[in-house]
Structures are given as C-alpha cells and as structure tokens.
Amino acid sequence: MKIGMNELVVILLIVVILFGPTQIPKLTKMFGKSIKGFKEGIGSEEENDNNKDNTNE
C-alpha cells in the first residue's frame, strides 16, 4: 500500500488546519530535537555495550 501525492497533500492540509501555520515550525523543531535525542541515546547505548565488551576480554 503506497501513499501517493494526493494523500500527502490531504494530510498536509489537515495538519495545517489542526495546528495552524504558526505552530508547524514549532512542531517540526520539537520533532527534530526528539529524533536527535533518540539517536544520541542509541549511540550512547552502543558505546556502553562496546565498553562492556572490551572490559570483559
């Protein structure tokens, strides 16, 4: 099931109607920070796993 251009336009219009054009930049900034924090958390988790593997050898 693919999402076409028409569906994306409808979703975008619904988001603009719900949140308003002034709130969208705030939402995208918040979403970007959340993704960045998630990636940093994953990276630190892998780093900790690597450190544990090195100390066990």
Side-chain angles (χ1 to χ4, degrees):
M1 182 172 165
K2 294 184 179 181
I3 297 177
M5 185 59 81
N6 292 337
E7 289 86 0
L8 289 175
V9 170
V10 170
I11 293 170
L12 180 62
L13 286 173
I14 291 171
V15 168
V16 169
I17 290 170
L18 287 176
F19 295 108
T22 58
Q23 294 296 323
I24 292 174
K26 293 177 186 177
L27 291 172
T28 56
K29 186 176 181 180
M30 182 181 63
F31 184 71
K33 285 182 180 181
S34 299
I35 295 294
K36 183 179 178 184
F38 180 75
K39 285 182 180 179
E40 288 175 355
I42 295 284
S44 67
E45 179 85 19
E46 289 175 355
E47 206 172 273
N48 288 339
D49 288 344
N50 288 339
N51 288 338
K52 287 179 184 178
D53 289 343
N54 290 338
T55 56
N56 291 336
E57 293 177 359

